[in-house]
Amino acid sequence: MKIAITATAQSLDAQVDSRFGRCPYYLIVETEDLSFTALANPGVSQGSGAGIQAAQFLADKGVQHILTGNCGPKAHQTLAAAGISVSVGCSGTVREAVEQFKTGKLPAASGPSVGGRFGAGSGGGRGRRAGRQ
Amino acid sequence: MVRVQVVVVAVVPGASEREIGWLSNGKFVTTEDFLRKTRRIAVASGKGGTGKTTVATNLAVTAVKSGLSVGYLDCDVEEPNGAVFLNPDMAMTQPVNVSVPAVDLDKCSGCGQCGRICQYNAIVPMGQQVLVFPELCHGCAGCWLVCPTGAISESRRQIGQLEVGKAGPLHVVQGLLNIGEVVSPPVIAAVKGAAPDVDLLVIDSPPGTSCPVLESVRKSDLVLLVTEPTPFGLHDLRLAVAMVRALELPFAVVINRAGTGDGETRAYCVSQRLEVLAEIPEDRQVAGAYSRGELVCDTMQQYRELYAELLRKIMPNTASMAARSA
Ligand code: SF4
Ligand code: SF4
């Protein structure tokens, strides 16, 4: 089974990056033999819609499942339309996450794990609206 | 001082009829610019919390008191708070709508062209569906123009509202972006489009240097960059200066909470030959007035003079204009 993991670097021993749309790399791993390819995230500095773009990118690669930390509502909706399932709350190294997934310890999430714009950093939402109305 | 002077007023070969001369920066000025009597001052800052709204509201009220007709445009549509200090009566409220795509899946062939043309990931053909994320849409019309089967039509969606009113003689226009929306330029454009015909427009811009700020400061005669003399303030001032320079807009600096910092901001302004039009001292009484929703130009003599002086610097011909409108 071909799965993608959000990663901080290009190896199986890299840490899982918690941000689905704005991680630096995706590792596309074949669960049978742990063969993998590392792909730089083309939308890492995208403004709005990074998660949507990432979902399209991974759907094009033929990925069937995703392991990541958090996944927002728009990305989740796009992945669902593409028929790709997601496990959230993953941490540790990529290798550990894949092993846990293979033993069934990382079930697919039924909905988004965070609200929009998670991981957007300083360029994103200004967070100034909380007090209004 | 703002150096915008017509040095040649003559028929220039190759210029269109509406261009009547050069500005000192080598650009043409049009008759429209030349005859426009409204002076547009945008008040901006590289970051929030520098006192931008304080400067904008005090300036607007000072100008009214000096006899000018004035409009205050609150373009900080994510958090408009000028009204807190101005207490306007809003006579008119109207929705701000934008275009968004509506997809008829029965007509869709799944060709994918709409997703490829959209620069904002707002429409995504995926599997048997075409997903639309309306909050990301900029209403550019690309998707319904490119769709070969006519599956996409244009529909309308409200993203905010426009309010127009008055606080005494001061015209107040403000925009309000609905919570959860991320695309504010259409609301800002609506605010600017509702600007009254007055001597002076004070445009309270959103903080930062992104698209909404560009929309707010566009076509202004002078941008006042409000900053604080702190390392963070200076960093954001540099970004704001780069932005207004790229836009080729005349600009000047107002230092707020002066006296709190380390002099680096002033040194930067000197080295970059930036004009500092006012230094507003750090003053507990100002913070107190702010928290009570009061304007210091109303309640404190020293600030009345400070803002009157600032107004004289940005409106050199204030006296003659006031006489004309009287
Ligand atoms: S109108 Fe423009 S921005 Fe909106 S979905 Fe269509 S292509 Fe994208
Ligand atoms: S362009 Fe039109 S036909 Fe093609 S995928 Fe989009 S909606 Fe369907």
Side-chain angles (χ1 to χ4, degrees):
Chain A
M1 183 178 185
K2 204 174 178 183
I3 67 172
I5 302 95
T6 53
T8 53
Q10 309 181 54
S11 93
L12 287 178
D13 297 312
Q15 295 293 307
V16 174
D17 193 306
S18 64
R19 302 160 302 173
F20 172 65
R22 289 190 171 78
C23 61
Y25 299 101
Y26 297 103
L27 259 59
I28 316 280
V29 178
E30 180 50 65
T31 50
E32 300 306 312
D33 55 6
L34 290 192
S35 64
F36 72 96
T37 35
L39 301 168
N41 177 1
V44 69
S45 58
Q46 174 89 24
S48 301
I52 299 168
Q53 190 167 312
Q56 287 176 278
F57 178 70
L58 296 174
D60 283 347
K61 305 290 173 216
V63 165
Q64 292 162 277
H65 188 84
I66 286 161
L67 305 182
T68 186
N70 285 294
C71 181
K74 297 192 186 78
H76 200 275
Q77 208 183 328
T78 311
L79 290 169
I84 301 173
S85 46
V86 195
S87 301
V88 294
C90 305
S91 57
T93 66
V94 170
R95 191 188 303 276
E96 287 162 2
V98 174
E99 293 303 337
Q100 285 176 10
F101 172 70
K102 283 165 75 175
T103 56
K105 285 190 191 135
L106 294 171
S110 53
S113 61
V114 286
R117 307 190 66 73
F118 173 80
S122 57
R126 285 151 60 193
R128 305 170 62 210
R129 290 289 284 270
R132 225 187 77 200
Q133 291 177 1
Chain B
M1 200 42 51
V2 190
R3 275 165 236 97
V4 181
Q5 256 150 24
V6 180
V7 291
V8 174
V9 180
V11 179
V12 181
S16 84
E17 296 167 5
R18 292 174 54 216
E19 293 166 339
I20 58 166
W22 284 296
L23 294 178
S24 53
N25 64 1
K27 293 206 155 173
F28 285 120
V29 65
T30 65
T31 36
E32 198 184 333
D33 294 331
F34 194 64
L35 296 175
R36 190 170 78 190
K37 74 166 181 149
T38 303
R39 194 154 160 72
R40 300 161 189 234
I41 309 292
V43 184
S45 65
K47 71 179 187 88
T50 58
K52 178 178 57 62
T53 295
T54 305
V55 171
T57 49
N58 279 291
L59 186 61
V61 168
T62 301
V64 167
K65 285 184 186 161
S66 78
L68 296 173
S69 62
V70 185
Y72 169 83
L73 307 185
D74 202 337
C75 289
D76 190 0
V77 302
E78 285 190 52
E79 195 178 42
N81 59 2
V84 174
F85 301 96
L86 299 171
N87 296 311
D89 288 321
M90 291 303 185
M92 195 271 287
T93 299
Q94 95 188 14
V96 177
N97 295 317
V98 293
S99 295
V100 284
V103 182
D104 179 353
L105 278 179
D106 291 339
K107 292 191 195 159
C108 173
S109 66
C111 71
Q113 291 187 48
C114 52
R116 282 194 290 278
I117 201 162
C118 184
Q119 296 301 301
Y120 305 100
N121 298 306
I123 188 163
V124 180
M126 184 61 87
Q128 303 302 305
Q129 305 175 41
V130 177
L131 304 175
V132 175
F133 299 101
E135 322 84 270
L136 301 182
C137 174
H138 284 54
C140 73
C143 55
W144 52 87
L145 293 176
V146 79
C147 177
T149 66
I152 307 178
S153 56
E154 177 181 359
S155 89
R156 304 284 287 169
R157 188 174 79 87
Q158 185 182 346
I159 59 161
Q161 70 182 35
L162 175 70
E163 297 178 354
V164 181
K166 284 186 109 176
L170 174 65
H171 296 264
V172 178
V173 182
Q174 76 171 17
L176 196 58
L177 185 71
N178 288 350
I179 288 174
E181 297 293 343
V182 294
V183 182
S184 61
V187 182
I188 294 169
V191 171
K192 293 181 83 174
D197 182 16
V198 288
D199 298 327
L200 172 67
L201 285 176
V202 178
I203 301 161
D204 195 344
S205 309
T209 47
S210 57
C211 281
V213 186
L214 304 192
E215 181 68 42
S216 305
V217 303
R218 216 158 56 87
K219 293 194 179 167
S220 44
D221 300 304
L222 175 67
V223 182
L224 282 185
L225 298 176
V226 181
T227 188
E228 316 180 291
T230 63
F232 284 127
L234 180 55
H235 171 262
D236 293 312
L237 176 62
R238 287 174 200 271
L239 296 178
V241 166
M243 173 189 75
V244 288
R245 281 191 173 147
L247 294 171
E248 299 183 10
L249 291 170
F251 68 98
V253 175
V254 171
I255 301 179
N256 194 21
R257 302 195 189 102
T260 53
D262 44 17
E264 269 190 56
T265 300
R266 217 161 294 131
Y268 167 75
C269 292
V270 170
S271 73
Q272 294 289 310
R273 295 171 195 272
L274 308 184
E275 196 157 4
V276 178
L277 290 189
E279 295 190 36
I280 302 166
E282 166 77 355
D283 182 345
R284 279 226 314 277
Q285 287 176 285
V286 172
Y290 183 87
S291 65
R292 289 189 298 275
E294 291 171 7
L295 292 175
V296 289
C297 72
D298 275 337
T299 54
M300 292 159 76
Q301 177 63 26
Q302 88 190 87
Y303 292 102
R304 191 172 304 149
E305 285 165 14
L306 188 149
Y307 280 102
E309 178 62 24
L310 176 60
L311 179 69
R312 267 194 294 283
K313 286 180 179 167
I314 63 178
M315 303 275 290
N317 45 355
T318 300
S320 60
M321 291 189 83
R324 195 179 65 208
S325 55

